[in-house]
Amino acid sequence: MSAPTVFVARLAGAGVFDPAGERIGKVRDVVTVPRVDASPRVVGLVVEDRGRNRVFLSIGRVLSIGGGQLIASAISDRRFRQRGGERLLLADVLGRTVTLRDGTPAVLEDLSIAERGPGEWEVDELFLRKPKVGPFGKGPTTLARWNEVQHEPDAEHDTDHLLASLDELAAADAASAMLDLPQQRMMEVAEDLSDDRLADILEEMHEDRQIEILNALQDDRAADVLDQMEPDDAADLVAHMTTERAETLLELMDPDEAEDVRMLLAFGSDTAGGLMTTEPIILASDGTVAEALALIRRHEVAPALAAAVCVTLPPYEAPTGRYLGMVHFQRLLRYPPNERVGTLLDEQIEPVLTSDTAAEVTRQMAAYNLVSVPVVDTAGRLVGVVTIDDVLDHLLPADWRAQEEQHG
């Protein structure tokens, strides 16, 4: 279990281990983004891997923190690059001067982060030292909350406030707010947003605007943003680029993410293969209800994908072994934690083929009131799922986002 509260200074140099207990790196810093009416949100950590490279570890991949160590499902090989809206707690925040409510200045010597929900961490308490009152020793210390003190203003305050405002909005609303900005300001904000947040926002924009923003970014940054997008959304975006630009970005992307995008590009846009996402929740038939619910609870899983678990033979990443069936989330809730998911398959639901048309997929989902439908290849291997949002995007007019912008 994760410790509810962790002081950041104690994390410096802490070992990072995988679930099998192998050391894979050590913590170098904690990455946060500002919020308007709350303390900063933790989005990840800077980890020094075994090759002494500093890479970004998303907080969603952290399984536990405590006892002077951190356990993570995996770390990427993507080098960490700090965005304008991000703050490193050790490098940028500790040591700053703040003002207490009574007007007394104090130095921020440490702060704690707390887990508020699965994969949701935020800055909790500040450990502050007041000025010393005599010629000897140190000044007294006190604890305070982030919003209980006044932080020294800096030149980036306005940008931080705007980024914090965007972070509080739903992705679709944040996209509308960005599009309302002057062109140059919009590009500046896009540059300062974190990769995952910019990816979320781009997914809610018209393709013309997506390409416009992505083309304004350096190739490395654009590839990082594509890595954070859902594979089907990334494939749709790449498909509208010039061949040269698309190939450049695919070469710079994480190899696994690029492989998914290349596979999706091979299918027609009007087929199940072209509509699907390649990252469904997959479990073995002897997996338990408890394991299935744990996978569903991961905060990075989209609600439509969390509606069901696909059961297959090994391997358990698309393309998997033979597809066996699907278990709906609601059914999982009706059975004890140790029940095997292989006994709970919905035998009425037939998968669709990658070559099936979008119309056939839509009829299948409507007939069985599905939020998602599994997609298999001719060998019966699961290669992805089509979710309801994929179908809606296909059914709506191609310019529906642009119409929404005009009416907004």
Side-chain angles (χ1 to χ4, degrees), residues 18 20 61 71 85 107 121 133 148 155 188 209 239 247 260-261 323 330 344 369 371:
D18 66 17
R61 294 184 178 272
I71 299 175
V107 176
W121 288 76
V133 294
E148 291 176 346
E188 291 172 352
R209 293 301 192 114
E247 190 56 38
D260 287 344
V261 172
Y323 171 74
Q330 192 174 36
L344 306 178
N369 298 316
V371 176

Side-chain angles (χ1 to χ4, degrees), residues 312 320-324 351 353 375-383:
T312 75
T320 67
R322 185 166 62 86
Y323 171 74
L324 300 177
L353 289 169
V375 183
V376 298
D377 60 19
T378 53
R381 302 178 303 172
L382 181 73
V383 290

